[in-house]
Each structure stands twice: as structure tokens, then as C-alpha cells.
Amino acid sequence: MTAKEFIHKFASRYLWGNLAAMALVVVLACLGVKFGIALYTHHGEAIAVPNIVHKSFADAEHILDDAGLQMVVADTGYVKNLPPDCILEQTPGPGERVKSGHIIYVTINAESTPKLTIPDVIDNSSLREAMAKLTAMGFKLGQPQYIPGEQDWVYGILVNGHHVVAGDKVSVDAVLVIQVGNGQRSASDSVDYIDPATSDADEDENSAPDPGTSSSDDEDNFEVVPGTGGDDMGE
């Protein structure tokens, strides 16, 4: 191919038309990706999160649905003076701006009082250790009840006057009364001590023979039998 032919082919409209078409496709593809991503991610869109705290579950779901948002229950709690299924907390909070379709995580009020499991602190820890562990778990504690036993040692737990053991489930509203030793020995644990000297003297006295009967016991029970040999010889 001569240089003239090469220049002629390079300057042809067919070649430049193809190049222009390819460039247009690339530009359109870039624009499509850009606007498609913006449309998918709701770029530049901001929705103020409505306040649904203390709303019923049904009302809160309806409010968020109208705002183009979704609701997911993340946890449950318990507030005694609020109705069941009431919204206690929400994340993101009221007034925060989010995109359409964003998920709002909520904590709802439980229908019944939650229960906690009694840990293994009975006859296994001191009063201080038991109080720290039970308080950290969320239990309510009353004044300890002191009973005869080792000082500050936990011997039992009472709930409404009844004993509970490790593993029992108790309402978070119940008050726990810890039975703890007062350092004094119980009357049932008392021991009768006997003076060894007195005990030995009593044994010696009981084992000594009766003076009034000792001589008779020592006498030889010998019986004299009259003989007949003398009379026979005289005859």
C-alpha cells in the first residue's frame, strides 16, 4: 500500500464514523452508570425520620411506610407504665435525614415482665460478691436477712418469702432478700462438753465395790459337817 492510499483510507468517512460511534457509546455508557447509581442510591435525597417513640407498633409501621421507610424490631424492653408493643427506642433518631427505603431499627415494649435467672451465689459467695453480681444482672435487692452462720456468708435468697435456688427465673420487678450469716453459732449446732476429770471420778466411783458387801463376798463359804468316826471307835 502506497502512502497516498493509506492517507486516503485514514481520511475516509467510514473510519471516522465508526470511531465517532464508539466514542458516543462510551460516553452514553458512562452517563448511564452515573445516573443509574445515583438513582439506585437515591443520591441527594434526604427524608427526615419521623418520631415514632411511644407509638404503637401498628401506628409506627404505618407512619414509616408513608414516609418511604422500613421498620425492623431490633430488641425488646419493658416499661411497666407503657402498653405492650409500644415503641421504646428508634435508630436513627427523630429528625435525622436518611434516604428513601432506609431501615429504622426499633425497641418495643414486652407484653410481660422479663425474667432473670438466679446465678450460683447461694452457699458459694460472700454478701459483697453476691450483691455485686445480682445488681449487675439487673436484680432488685432488699435489706439482707441475718441468720446464724459464718460471718457475711450467703446461705439463701428469698423472693416474696419463698426460697429460690440457682437456675430459677425471677421477675425483674421482684425484690431479692439475701440470707447472710451473722457470725454466731446456731443453737442446734451447740456441743455439750464433759470435764475429763469429773468423768474419770464418776467412772471410778461407779466401779468401786460396795464396802458393806465386800467382806461377805470375800468369806469362804465353808460348811462344817459333823463327823461320826469317834463314836464308832468307842464302841
Side-chain angles (χ1 to χ4, degrees):
M1 179 183 296
T2 63
K4 184 177 179 181
E5 292 177 346
F6 176 79
I7 294 174
H8 180 72
K9 288 183 177 291
F10 185 76
S12 65
R13 293 181 180 181
Y14 177 77
L15 176 61
W16 286 105
N18 288 337
L19 292 175
M22 293 174 60
L24 181 61
V25 170
V26 172
V27 171
L28 292 177
C30 293
L31 292 175
V33 171
K34 178 180 178 180
F35 289 105
I37 293 176
L39 182 64
Y40 178 77
T41 59
H42 303 282
H43 180 70
E45 183 182 4
I47 299 174
V49 177
N51 186 2
I52 57 174
V53 175
H54 295 172
K55 301 286 186 182
S56 67
F57 183 85
D59 290 344
E61 190 173 33
H62 181 70
I63 293 172
L64 293 180
D65 186 63
D66 288 345
L69 303 174
Q70 302 180 42
M71 183 172 66
V72 172
V73 177
D75 199 1
T76 59
Y78 182 73
V79 177
K80 189 174 183 180
N81 58 351
L82 291 177
D85 287 339
C86 174
I87 305 299
L88 300 178
E89 297 178 359
Q90 67 177 90
T91 305
E96 294 189 29
R97 307 192 75 81
V98 297
K99 297 175 183 179
S100 177
H102 194 83
I103 296 176
I104 308 300
Y105 296 95
V106 298
T107 300
I108 64 173
N109 199 28
E111 295 184 2
S112 58
T113 306
K115 293 185 177 181
L116 302 174
T117 303
I118 298 293
D120 186 15
V121 296
I122 301 174
D123 203 21
N124 192 35
S125 60
S126 66
L127 175 61
R128 183 176 180 180
E129 294 170 343
M131 291 182 67
K133 190 168 186 177
L134 292 172
T135 303
M137 293 179 63
F139 286 103
K140 297 179 180 179
L141 303 181
Q143 289 295 328
Q145 181 185 93
Y146 288 91
I147 61 175
E150 184 179 343
Q151 183 73 32
D152 289 336
W153 189 251
V154 175
Y155 287 97
I157 296 178
L158 297 176
V159 177
N160 297 326
H162 300 283
H163 282 93
V164 295
V165 297
D168 288 349
K169 293 187 178 296
V170 178
S171 170
V172 294
D173 290 336
V175 177
L176 275 59
V177 176
I178 302 176
Q179 291 183 315
V180 59
N182 58 8
Q184 299 179 3
R185 183 182 294 275
S186 174
S188 61
D189 295 337
S190 61
V191 180
D192 294 332
Y193 293 97
I194 301 176
D195 188 357
T198 305
S199 177
D200 294 342
D202 292 341
E203 291 180 0
D204 293 340
E205 182 178 352
N206 294 331
S207 61
D210 188 356
T213 60
S214 61
S215 58
S216 60
D217 293 339
D218 294 339
E219 290 180 355
D220 187 6
N221 296 328
F222 178 75
E223 182 179 357
V224 178
V225 179
T228 59
D231 295 339
D232 294 340
M233 290 179 65
E235 293 179 354

